[in-house]
Amino acid sequence: MKVIAIAGKGGTGKTTISALIVSALKEGGATPILAVDADPNYNLGDALGVEVTETLGATLESFIDQKGKIPAGMTKAAFLEMRMHQSVIEGKKVDLLVMGRPEGPGCYCFANNLLRKALEELAENYKIVLIDNEAGMEHLSRKTTAKLDILLLVSDHTIKGIRTAGRLKDLAIEMNIDIKEMGLVVNMVEGELDPRAMEEIENLGLSLYGVMPRDTAVSELYLDDESLLSLKADSPIKLAVNALIEKTGYLNKL
Ligand SMILES: Nc1ncnc2c1ncn2[C@@H]1O[C@H](COP(=O)(O)OP(=O)(O)O)[C@@H](O)[C@H]1O
Ligand SMILES: [Mg+2]
């Protein structure tokens, strides 16, 4: 099993790249896949063409509300695990778990601790777990996620954007998150990546894993409220995502 997490500033293309990675891995046969949408403002389902009928946040709320109503003979942990399984939206080869808003006004620490364990167990059923994070590192810092095989930091091609990615890298190191590799993906690039951007990447000690072109087909699909699954196999961004997957070597290792 490989756990891939995607992080970066809002609007840099995390969800777009997450959906395209999921579809490339699916096409490459690395299934089953669990796609986790960890952004409270979730939209990975839209990008993947999956209707979101459940969120884990809603499940947690009802778990808290049902205090004392746990079926006789069932532990709280077992009950929560059962409810979490019910929150997984099952698809063909790709399942989706939408976190929603796990933190309400009250403290869900107890539930969160159980959740971490339940999530780790759930992940064991899949070849790939991909986590599309919210901007920032909240979920990662709360450690609701297991160990990561790879953290992909997504940035636009601006110097500012790349610096933000650099700060996220430092933060991940500071927080002592268990990550095997970290790579930078620069998105919405027109033509070649500018040498000034390259220089900044090197100065910050970031490892460049992928350069994604700005692809009008992507914006067209979003405008038509269509999923990204209908992108042509030879569209520039799909080819770039394939190259990224190639670089990770995950298809060969599974
Ligand atoms: N490579 C790309 N080419 C063209 N448009 C893109 C590309 N990547 C992302 N976009 C557009 O940028 C917007 C933000 O992308 P999104 O994936 O939702 O970012 P994030 O999840 O980081 O907030 C979307 O409207 C999408 O259409
Ligand atoms: Mg997003």
Side-chain angles (χ1 to χ4, degrees), residues 212-234:
M212 306 287 143
R214 180 184 290 281
D215 191 332
T216 48
V218 169
S219 8
E220 282 296 318
L221 286 172
Y222 275 110
L223 278 171
D224 287 338
D225 202 17
E226 294 273 345
S227 83
L228 296 175
L229 302 184
S230 42
L231 272 176
K232 292 207 185 83
D234 61 352

Side-chain angles (χ1 to χ4, degrees), residues 231-235 238-239 242:
L231 272 176
K232 292 207 185 83
D234 61 352
S235 77
K238 276 204 95 165
L239 296 176
N242 288 345

Side-chain angles (χ1 to χ4, degrees), residues 13 22-25 80 94 109 134 136 144 153 158 163 173 196 249:
V22 166
S23 90
L25 287 169
L80 183 62
V94 179
C109 309
E134 62 198 307
T144 33
L153 300 168
T158 65
R163 283 188 187 144
I173 294 169
R196 287 167 293 184

Side-chain angles (χ1 to χ4, degrees), residues 126-168:
Y126 297 89
K127 278 234 171 92
I128 301 276
V129 176
L130 177 135
I131 307 161
D132 177 14
N133 283 288
E134 62 198 307
M137 307 278 270
E138 306 300 314
H139 268 284
L140 296 178
S141 63
R142 257 187 265 130
K143 301 211 172 172
T144 33
T145 40
K147 295 177 191 162
L148 305 179
D149 289 283
I150 189 163
L151 174 64
L152 292 174
L153 300 168
V154 183
S155 167
D156 55 28
H157 67 288
T158 65
I159 299 293
K160 258 193 193 157
I162 290 164
R163 283 188 187 144
T164 306
R167 276 195 291 273
L168 286 176

Side-chain angles (χ1 to χ4, degrees), residues 28-212:
T31 56
I33 301 172
L34 176 65
V36 180
D37 192 341
D39 189 339
N41 190 8
Y42 49 88
N43 55 11
L44 182 60
D46 289 338
L48 287 171
V50 177
E51 192 193 343
V52 175
T53 47
E54 310 273 347
T55 73
L56 193 54
T59 302
L60 269 186
E61 300 260 343
S62 66
F63 174 77
I64 307 282
D65 290 349
Q66 285 180 7
K67 241 188 259 162
K69 281 197 223 147
I70 294 169
M74 207 175 204
T75 62
K76 272 187 197 169
F79 184 65
L80 183 62
E81 193 180 335
M82 182 188 84
R83 298 300 300 268
M84 195 180 74
H85 279 271
Q86 287 169 351
S87 311
V88 174
I89 302 161
E90 289 178 11
K92 249 197 221 157
K93 297 180 182 173
V94 179
D95 291 348
L96 176 66
L97 178 64
V98 180
M99 306 291 273
R101 286 197 314 119
E103 224 97 26
C107 178
Y108 290 8
C109 309
F110 167 73
N112 269 342
N113 283 335
L114 288 177
L115 188 67
R116 187 179 316 142
K117 221 174 153 288
L119 245 176
E120 274 173 23
E121 276 163 28
L122 178 71
E124 293 300 324
N125 301 324
Y126 297 89
K127 278 234 171 92
I128 301 276
V129 176
L130 177 135
I131 307 161
D132 177 14
N133 283 288
E134 62 198 307
M137 307 278 270
E138 306 300 314
H139 268 284
L140 296 178
S141 63
R142 257 187 265 130
K143 301 211 172 172
T144 33
T145 40
K147 295 177 191 162
L148 305 179
D149 289 283
I150 189 163
L151 174 64
L152 292 174
L153 300 168
V154 183
S155 167
D156 55 28
H157 67 288
T158 65
I159 299 293
K160 258 193 193 157
I162 290 164
R163 283 188 187 144
T164 306
R167 276 195 291 273
L168 286 176
K169 172 187 76 113
D170 294 342
L171 193 61
I173 294 169
E174 234 168 73
M175 291 188 318
N176 239 336
I177 305 172
D178 194 341
I179 306 173
K180 285 212 188 97
E181 5 169 8
M182 236 190 281
L184 173 73
V185 177
V186 185
N187 187 26
M188 295 190 246
V189 175
E190 305 195 27
E192 301 269 305
L193 194 56
D194 193 278
R196 287 167 293 184
M198 279 304 296
E199 200 184 319
E200 192 64 30
I201 292 168
E202 274 167 30
N203 287 342
L204 293 170
L206 288 160
S207 165
L208 184 61
Y209 268 53
V211 177
M212 306 287 143

